[in-house]
Amino acid sequence: MAQTDNRFTTEALVVKEMKIGESDRLVTLFSREHGIIKAFASGAKNIKSKKAGATSLLTYASFTIKNKNGSLRIYEATPITVFFGAGSDIEVLALSQYFCELSTVFALEGQPNTELLRLILNSLHFLTKEKRYPPLIKAITELRTAVISGYAPDLLACENCGKFEDTIMFFNVREGFLHCGECKGGDGFKAVDRTLLSALRHIVYSEFKNLYSFQIPENKAKELAEITGRYITIQTDHKFSTLDFYNSIKE
C-alpha cells in the first residue's frame, strides 16, 4: 500500500455496489490492508469513465482513494481481475454474489483480514476461471470462512467416546461436534458417511495450499454444500439473502 497525506493506494475486491444519482457509485471494497471500506466513485456509471469497469461488482482492482471531508473517494481505479463477464452462468453469478455477502458479514471495516480475502479470491477463481463444480466450491468457502472467523467445528473424533471414524458418523450442525453411531442422540444431527466426513475434515484442517485439491462425486458435493450452508447460517444466526437467491435458482 502506497500512502501520501490522506491519499492511499490499495488492491481490493468490489463486493457491493450502489448507484448514487445518475452517474455515481458507492462501492463496498474488501481491501487487502483495510478490510471493508466504502468509497464513492464519481462518474463511474458513465460507460466512458475509466472507473466504470474497475468499480463493478466482482472486480479485483487497484484503487487510489482519498479521504475528502470525512468520506472516501476513488480517484483512480485499474482492474486486475474481472471474475464475472457477459454470458456467464446465472448459478455462478448467484454464488459469486453470496461469496461477496460472506465478505461483508465476516470482514470488519478498517481491519485487514488477508486470510479471508485470499479464500474469497481463490474461490472466485476456481468457480469462474477453473469452472469447478459450484456446490463443492460453495462448501469449501462456507466452512473455511467459518474456521477463519472463529466458528470452527470439532471434527477430530466422537465428542462423547473419542471414536475417530464409523461407517456413519453424526455431525451436530448447531453445536459443531461429532457423534458416532452408538453415541448419537437428540436433535440437530446430520448423518455423514466416510466421504462426507473426510471432505469436512479436509476443509477444516488442511493447509491452505491444499484446500481445493480434492474431488468428490457431485451428489456428495451437493450434500456437503447443504451441510455447510446450514452450519454457517446457524452459527452466525444471519439470514444470507444471496444464499436464498442461490438456493431458489437450484430449486
PDB file of all heavy atoms in Angstrom, residues 50-78:
ATOM      1  N   LYS A  50     -13.157   5.801 -16.936  1.00  0.00           N
ATOM      2  CA  LYS A  50     -12.109   4.812 -16.689  1.00  0.00           C
ATOM      3  C   LYS A  50     -12.402   4.004 -15.425  1.00  0.00           C
ATOM      4  O   LYS A  50     -11.832   2.929 -15.221  1.00  0.00           O
ATOM      5  CB  LYS A  50     -10.756   5.508 -16.574  1.00  0.00           C
ATOM      6  CG  LYS A  50     -10.281   6.167 -17.875  1.00  0.00           C
ATOM      7  CD  LYS A  50      -8.919   6.819 -17.691  1.00  0.00           C
ATOM      8  CE  LYS A  50      -8.444   7.464 -18.995  1.00  0.00           C
ATOM      9  NZ  LYS A  50      -7.129   8.128 -18.836  1.00  0.00           N
ATOM     10  N   LYS A  51     -13.285   4.524 -14.570  1.00  0.00           N
ATOM     11  CA  LYS A  51     -13.618   3.841 -13.318  1.00  0.00           C
ATOM     12  C   LYS A  51     -14.739   2.818 -13.503  1.00  0.00           C
ATOM     13  O   LYS A  51     -14.990   2.017 -12.599  1.00  0.00           O
ATOM     14  CB  LYS A  51     -14.055   4.860 -12.262  1.00  0.00           C
ATOM     15  CG  LYS A  51     -13.056   5.956 -11.954  1.00  0.00           C
ATOM     16  CD  LYS A  51     -13.685   6.959 -11.003  1.00  0.00           C
ATOM     17  CE  LYS A  51     -12.835   8.210 -10.855  1.00  0.00           C
ATOM     18  NZ  LYS A  51     -13.518   9.254 -10.070  1.00  0.00           N
ATOM     19  N   ALA A  52     -15.419   2.864 -14.645  1.00  0.00           N
ATOM     20  CA  ALA A  52     -16.627   2.064 -14.820  1.00  0.00           C
ATOM     21  C   ALA A  52     -16.375   0.573 -14.582  1.00  0.00           C
ATOM     22  O   ALA A  52     -17.054  -0.067 -13.775  1.00  0.00           O
ATOM     23  CB  ALA A  52     -17.207   2.287 -16.211  1.00  0.00           C
ATOM     24  N   GLY A  53     -15.411   0.006 -15.289  1.00  0.00           N
ATOM     25  CA  GLY A  53     -15.141  -1.418 -15.153  1.00  0.00           C
ATOM     26  C   GLY A  53     -14.558  -1.796 -13.811  1.00  0.00           C
ATOM     27  O   GLY A  53     -14.944  -2.794 -13.200  1.00  0.00           O
ATOM     28  N   ALA A  54     -13.639  -0.992 -13.313  1.00  0.00           N
ATOM     29  CA  ALA A  54     -12.915  -1.324 -12.087  1.00  0.00           C
ATOM     30  C   ALA A  54     -13.784  -1.240 -10.844  1.00  0.00           C
ATOM     31  O   ALA A  54     -13.460  -1.837  -9.823  1.00  0.00           O
ATOM     32  CB  ALA A  54     -11.699  -0.412 -11.933  1.00  0.00           C
ATOM     33  N   THR A  55     -14.876  -0.473 -10.905  1.00  0.00           N
ATOM     34  CA  THR A  55     -15.749  -0.330  -9.741  1.00  0.00           C
ATOM     35  C   THR A  55     -17.000  -1.189  -9.847  1.00  0.00           C
ATOM     36  O   THR A  55     -17.948  -1.013  -9.078  1.00  0.00           O
ATOM     37  CB  THR A  55     -16.146   1.148  -9.541  1.00  0.00           C
ATOM     38  OG1 THR A  55     -16.799   1.630 -10.729  1.00  0.00           O
ATOM     39  CG2 THR A  55     -14.927   2.009  -9.241  1.00  0.00           C
ATOM     40  N   SER A  56     -17.016  -2.129 -10.779  1.00  0.00           N
ATOM     41  CA  SER A  56     -18.151  -3.041 -10.930  1.00  0.00           C
ATOM     42  C   SER A  56     -18.024  -4.219  -9.976  1.00  0.00           C
ATOM     43  O   SER A  56     -16.914  -4.632  -9.614  1.00  0.00           O
ATOM     44  CB  SER A  56     -18.237  -3.553 -12.373  1.00  0.00           C
ATOM     45  OG  SER A  56     -18.461  -2.500 -13.274  1.00  0.00           O
ATOM     46  N   LEU A  57     -19.156  -4.763  -9.578  1.00  0.00           N
ATOM     47  CA  LEU A  57     -19.187  -5.907  -8.682  1.00  0.00           C
ATOM     48  C   LEU A  57     -18.324  -7.045  -9.206  1.00  0.00           C
ATOM     49  O   LEU A  57     -18.294  -7.309 -10.411  1.00  0.00           O
ATOM     50  CB  LEU A  57     -20.625  -6.384  -8.522  1.00  0.00           C
ATOM     51  CG  LEU A  57     -20.887  -7.500  -7.501  1.00  0.00           C
ATOM     52  CD1 LEU A  57     -20.653  -6.997  -6.089  1.00  0.00           C
ATOM     53  CD2 LEU A  57     -22.307  -8.025  -7.652  1.00  0.00           C
ATOM     54  N   LEU A  58     -17.603  -7.721  -8.298  1.00  0.00           N
ATOM     55  CA  LEU A  58     -16.779  -8.886  -8.608  1.00  0.00           C
ATOM     56  C   LEU A  58     -15.545  -8.540  -9.442  1.00  0.00           C
ATOM     57  O   LEU A  58     -15.021  -9.384 -10.163  1.00  0.00           O
ATOM     58  CB  LEU A  58     -17.605  -9.974  -9.319  1.00  0.00           C
ATOM     59  CG  LEU A  58     -18.701 -10.602  -8.453  1.00  0.00           C
ATOM     60  CD1 LEU A  58     -19.659 -11.427  -9.303  1.00  0.00           C
ATOM     61  CD2 LEU A  58     -18.068 -11.469  -7.371  1.00  0.00           C
ATOM     62  N   THR A  59     -15.082  -7.310  -9.312  1.00  0.00           N
ATOM     63  CA  THR A  59     -13.832  -6.904  -9.944  1.00  0.00           C
ATOM     64  C   THR A  59     -12.776  -6.686  -8.866  1.00  0.00           C
ATOM     65  O   THR A  59     -13.027  -6.025  -7.857  1.00  0.00           O
ATOM     66  CB  THR A  59     -14.010  -5.601 -10.746  1.00  0.00           C
ATOM     67  OG1 THR A  59     -14.976  -5.811 -11.772  1.00  0.00           O
ATOM     68  CG2 THR A  59     -12.699  -5.174 -11.386  1.00  0.00           C
ATOM     69  N   TYR A  60     -11.610  -7.285  -9.061  1.00  0.00           N
ATOM     70  CA  TYR A  60     -10.466  -7.056  -8.173  1.00  0.00           C
ATOM     71  C   TYR A  60      -9.578  -6.041  -8.869  1.00  0.00           C
ATOM     72  O   TYR A  60      -9.173  -6.235 -10.022  1.00  0.00           O
ATOM     73  CB  TYR A  60      -9.710  -8.363  -7.932  1.00  0.00           C
ATOM     74  CG  TYR A  60      -8.583  -8.249  -6.930  1.00  0.00           C
ATOM     75  CD1 TYR A  60      -8.852  -7.997  -5.589  1.00  0.00           C
ATOM     76  CD2 TYR A  60      -7.251  -8.401  -7.322  1.00  0.00           C
ATOM     77  CE1 TYR A  60      -7.833  -7.906  -4.663  1.00  0.00           C
ATOM     78  CE2 TYR A  60      -6.234  -8.303  -6.402  1.00  0.00           C
ATOM     79  CZ  TYR A  60      -6.523  -8.057  -5.076  1.00  0.00           C
ATOM     80  OH  TYR A  60      -5.497  -7.959  -4.160  1.00  0.00           O
ATOM     81  N   ALA A  61      -9.302  -4.934  -8.188  1.00  0.00           N
ATOM     82  CA  ALA A  61      -8.632  -3.823  -8.852  1.00  0.00           C
ATOM     83  C   ALA A  61      -7.710  -3.089  -7.891  1.00  0.00           C
ATOM     84  O   ALA A  61      -7.734  -3.296  -6.672  1.00  0.00           O
ATOM     85  CB  ALA A  61      -9.676  -2.858  -9.414  1.00  0.00           C
ATOM     86  N   SER A  62      -6.899  -2.221  -8.473  1.00  0.00           N
ATOM     87  CA  SER A  62      -6.054  -1.315  -7.700  1.00  0.00           C
ATOM     88  C   SER A  62      -6.772   0.032  -7.629  1.00  0.00           C
ATOM     89  O   SER A  62      -7.139   0.604  -8.664  1.00  0.00           O
ATOM     90  CB  SER A  62      -4.682  -1.158  -8.364  1.00  0.00           C
ATOM     91  OG  SER A  62      -3.911  -0.181  -7.688  1.00  0.00           O
ATOM     92  N   PHE A  63      -6.959   0.534  -6.420  1.00  0.00           N
ATOM     93  CA  PHE A  63      -7.692   1.774  -6.218  1.00  0.00           C
ATOM     94  C   PHE A  63      -6.805   2.821  -5.545  1.00  0.00           C
ATOM     95  O   PHE A  63      -6.082   2.512  -4.590  1.00  0.00           O
ATOM     96  CB  PHE A  63      -8.909   1.541  -5.316  1.00  0.00           C
ATOM     97  CG  PHE A  63      -9.931   0.613  -5.900  1.00  0.00           C
ATOM     98  CD1 PHE A  63      -9.883  -0.748  -5.609  1.00  0.00           C
ATOM     99  CD2 PHE A  63     -10.933   1.086  -6.727  1.00  0.00           C
ATOM    100  CE1 PHE A  63     -10.825  -1.614  -6.133  1.00  0.00           C
ATOM    101  CE2 PHE A  63     -11.880   0.217  -7.266  1.00  0.00           C
ATOM    102  CZ  PHE A  63     -11.825  -1.127  -6.978  1.00  0.00           C
ATOM    103  N   THR A  64      -6.867   4.026  -6.059  1.00  0.00           N
ATOM    104  CA  THR A  64      -6.275   5.168  -5.378  1.00  0.00           C
ATOM    105  C   THR A  64      -7.426   5.961  -4.774  1.00  0.00           C
ATOM    106  O   THR A  64      -8.337   6.412  -5.489  1.00  0.00           O
ATOM    107  CB  THR A  64      -5.476   6.060  -6.343  1.00  0.00           C
ATOM    108  OG1 THR A  64      -4.395   5.288  -6.877  1.00  0.00           O
ATOM    109  CG2 THR A  64      -4.899   7.267  -5.613  1.00  0.00           C
ATOM    110  N   ILE A  65      -7.398   6.088  -3.458  1.00  0.00           N
ATOM    111  CA  ILE A  65      -8.527   6.631  -2.711  1.00  0.00           C
ATOM    112  C   ILE A  65      -8.058   7.808  -1.858  1.00  0.00           C
ATOM    113  O   ILE A  65      -6.959   7.776  -1.285  1.00  0.00           O
ATOM    114  CB  ILE A  65      -9.150   5.536  -1.815  1.00  0.00           C
ATOM    115  CG1 ILE A  65      -9.630   4.366  -2.689  1.00  0.00           C
ATOM    116  CG2 ILE A  65     -10.281   6.092  -0.970  1.00  0.00           C
ATOM    117  CD1 ILE A  65     -10.072   3.152  -1.905  1.00  0.00           C
ATOM    118  N   LYS A  66      -8.896   8.811  -1.756  1.00  0.00           N
ATOM    119  CA  LYS A  66      -8.572   9.993  -0.961  1.00  0.00           C
ATOM    120  C   LYS A  66      -9.690  10.252   0.041  1.00  0.00           C
ATOM    121  O   LYS A  66     -10.873  10.149  -0.280  1.00  0.00           O
ATOM    122  CB  LYS A  66      -8.377  11.217  -1.855  1.00  0.00           C
ATOM    123  CG  LYS A  66      -7.900  12.460  -1.102  1.00  0.00           C
ATOM    124  CD  LYS A  66      -7.635  13.613  -2.060  1.00  0.00           C
ATOM    125  CE  LYS A  66      -7.121  14.841  -1.297  1.00  0.00           C
ATOM    126  NZ  LYS A  66      -6.825  15.979  -2.223  1.00  0.00           N
ATOM    127  N   ASN A  67      -9.287  10.576   1.256  1.00  0.00           N
ATOM    128  CA  ASN A  67     -10.245  10.960   2.285  1.00  0.00           C
ATOM    129  C   ASN A  67     -10.534  12.443   2.129  1.00  0.00           C
ATOM    130  O   ASN A  67      -9.672  13.282   2.390  1.00  0.00           O
ATOM    131  CB  ASN A  67      -9.689  10.661   3.676  1.00  0.00           C
ATOM    132  CG  ASN A  67     -10.742  10.818   4.765  1.00  0.00           C
ATOM    133  OD1 ASN A  67     -11.637  11.641   4.655  1.00  0.00           O
ATOM    134  ND2 ASN A  67     -10.604  10.032   5.818  1.00  0.00           N
ATOM    135  N   LYS A  68     -11.738  12.755   1.687  1.00  0.00           N
ATOM    136  CA  LYS A  68     -12.108  14.144   1.440  1.00  0.00           C
ATOM    137  C   LYS A  68     -13.326  14.502   2.285  1.00  0.00           C
ATOM    138  O   LYS A  68     -14.405  13.960   2.115  1.00  0.00           O
ATOM    139  CB  LYS A  68     -12.414  14.356  -0.044  1.00  0.00           C
ATOM    140  CG  LYS A  68     -12.696  15.814  -0.410  1.00  0.00           C
ATOM    141  CD  LYS A  68     -12.900  15.956  -1.914  1.00  0.00           C
ATOM    142  CE  LYS A  68     -13.153  17.403  -2.298  1.00  0.00           C
ATOM    143  NZ  LYS A  68     -13.348  17.565  -3.758  1.00  0.00           N
ATOM    144  N   ASN A  69     -13.103  15.413   3.230  1.00  0.00           N
ATOM    145  CA  ASN A  69     -14.178  15.880   4.111  1.00  0.00           C
ATOM    146  C   ASN A  69     -14.878  14.729   4.832  1.00  0.00           C
ATOM    147  O   ASN A  69     -16.108  14.708   4.981  1.00  0.00           O
ATOM    148  CB  ASN A  69     -15.208  16.698   3.315  1.00  0.00           C
ATOM    149  CG  ASN A  69     -14.600  17.932   2.681  1.00  0.00           C
ATOM    150  OD1 ASN A  69     -13.712  18.560   3.259  1.00  0.00           O
ATOM    151  ND2 ASN A  69     -15.074  18.277   1.488  1.00  0.00           N
ATOM    152  N   GLY A  70     -14.087  13.750   5.257  1.00  0.00           N
ATOM    153  CA  GLY A  70     -14.623  12.647   6.040  1.00  0.00           C
ATOM    154  C   GLY A  70     -15.180  11.490   5.256  1.00  0.00           C
ATOM    155  O   GLY A  70     -15.635  10.499   5.839  1.00  0.00           O
ATOM    156  N   SER A  71     -15.178  11.564   3.920  1.00  0.00           N
ATOM    157  CA  SER A  71     -15.649  10.445   3.103  1.00  0.00           C
ATOM    158  C   SER A  71     -14.552  10.017   2.142  1.00  0.00           C
ATOM    159  O   SER A  71     -13.725  10.831   1.725  1.00  0.00           O
ATOM    160  CB  SER A  71     -16.912  10.835   2.331  1.00  0.00           C
ATOM    161  OG  SER A  71     -16.635  11.871   1.412  1.00  0.00           O
ATOM    162  N   LEU A  72     -14.545   8.738   1.808  1.00  0.00           N
ATOM    163  CA  LEU A  72     -13.535   8.204   0.905  1.00  0.00           C
ATOM    164  C   LEU A  72     -14.015   8.324  -0.531  1.00  0.00           C
ATOM    165  O   LEU A  72     -15.150   7.966  -0.855  1.00  0.00           O
ATOM    166  CB  LEU A  72     -13.248   6.741   1.247  1.00  0.00           C
ATOM    167  CG  LEU A  72     -12.678   6.474   2.645  1.00  0.00           C
ATOM    168  CD1 LEU A  72     -12.469   4.982   2.847  1.00  0.00           C
ATOM    169  CD2 LEU A  72     -11.384   7.229   2.876  1.00  0.00           C
ATOM    170  N   ARG A  73     -13.129   8.792  -1.400  1.00  0.00           N
ATOM    171  CA  ARG A  73     -13.464   8.967  -2.808  1.00  0.00           C
ATOM    172  C   ARG A  73     -12.381   8.323  -3.676  1.00  0.00           C
ATOM    173  O   ARG A  73     -11.191   8.491  -3.421  1.00  0.00           O
ATOM    174  CB  ARG A  73     -13.626  10.447  -3.148  1.00  0.00           C
ATOM    175  CG  ARG A  73     -14.783  11.087  -2.392  1.00  0.00           C
ATOM    176  CD  ARG A  73     -15.050  12.508  -2.823  1.00  0.00           C
ATOM    177  NE  ARG A  73     -16.222  13.028  -2.119  1.00  0.00           N
ATOM    178  CZ  ARG A  73     -17.484  12.882  -2.510  1.00  0.00           C
ATOM    179  NH1 ARG A  73     -17.724  12.213  -3.640  1.00  0.00           N
ATOM    180  NH2 ARG A  73     -18.492  13.363  -1.821  1.00  0.00           N
ATOM    181  N   ILE A  74     -12.846   7.578  -4.677  1.00  0.00           N
ATOM    182  CA  ILE A  74     -11.939   6.886  -5.585  1.00  0.00           C
ATOM    183  C   ILE A  74     -11.511   7.847  -6.687  1.00  0.00           C
ATOM    184  O   ILE A  74     -12.352   8.391  -7.411  1.00  0.00           O
ATOM    185  CB  ILE A  74     -12.612   5.639  -6.188  1.00  0.00           C
ATOM    186  CG1 ILE A  74     -12.958   4.640  -5.079  1.00  0.00           C
ATOM    187  CG2 ILE A  74     -11.723   4.989  -7.241  1.00  0.00           C
ATOM    188  CD1 ILE A  74     -13.808   3.483  -5.547  1.00  0.00           C
ATOM    189  N   TYR A  75     -10.186   8.044  -6.813  1.00  0.00           N
ATOM    190  CA  TYR A  75      -9.660   8.932  -7.844  1.00  0.00           C
ATOM    191  C   TYR A  75      -9.152   8.159  -9.055  1.00  0.00           C
ATOM    192  O   TYR A  75      -9.269   8.622 -10.182  1.00  0.00           O
ATOM    193  CB  TYR A  75      -8.547   9.823  -7.261  1.00  0.00           C
ATOM    194  CG  TYR A  75      -9.103  11.009  -6.527  1.00  0.00           C
ATOM    195  CD1 TYR A  75      -9.676  10.864  -5.271  1.00  0.00           C
ATOM    196  CD2 TYR A  75      -9.111  12.268  -7.094  1.00  0.00           C
ATOM    197  CE1 TYR A  75     -10.219  11.947  -4.586  1.00  0.00           C
ATOM    198  CE2 TYR A  75      -9.652  13.363  -6.423  1.00  0.00           C
ATOM    199  CZ  TYR A  75     -10.199  13.194  -5.178  1.00  0.00           C
ATOM    200  OH  TYR A  75     -10.749  14.264  -4.513  1.00  0.00           O
ATOM    201  N   GLU A  76      -8.583   6.993  -8.811  1.00  0.00           N
ATOM    202  CA  GLU A  76      -8.122   6.150  -9.901  1.00  0.00           C
ATOM    203  C   GLU A  76      -8.470   4.702  -9.589  1.00  0.00           C
ATOM    204  O   GLU A  76      -8.469   4.285  -8.430  1.00  0.00           O
ATOM    205  CB  GLU A  76      -6.606   6.281 -10.103  1.00  0.00           C
ATOM    206  CG  GLU A  76      -6.148   7.663 -10.543  1.00  0.00           C
ATOM    207  CD  GLU A  76      -4.641   7.740 -10.708  1.00  0.00           C
ATOM    208  OE1 GLU A  76      -3.980   6.687 -10.576  1.00  0.00           O
ATOM    209  OE2 GLU A  76      -4.134   8.845 -10.958  1.00  0.00           O
ATOM    210  N   ALA A  77      -8.762   3.940 -10.633  1.00  0.00           N
ATOM    211  CA  ALA A  77      -9.099   2.525 -10.452  1.00  0.00           C
ATOM    212  C   ALA A  77      -8.661   1.750 -11.689  1.00  0.00           C
ATOM    213  O   ALA A  77      -9.062   2.080 -12.806  1.00  0.00           O
ATOM    214  CB  ALA A  77     -10.592   2.360 -10.220  1.00  0.00           C
ATOM    215  N   THR A  78      -7.854   0.720 -11.453  1.00  0.00           N
ATOM    216  CA  THR A  78      -7.330  -0.082 -12.560  1.00  0.00           C
ATOM    217  C   THR A  78      -7.664  -1.554 -12.321  1.00  0.00           C
ATOM    218  O   THR A  78      -7.209  -2.138 -11.323  1.00  0.00           O
ATOM    219  CB  THR A  78      -5.803   0.069 -12.680  1.00  0.00           C
ATOM    220  OG1 THR A  78      -5.468   1.450 -12.813  1.00  0.00           O
ATOM    221  CG2 THR A  78      -5.280  -0.703 -13.879  1.00  0.00           C
TER     222      THR A  78
END
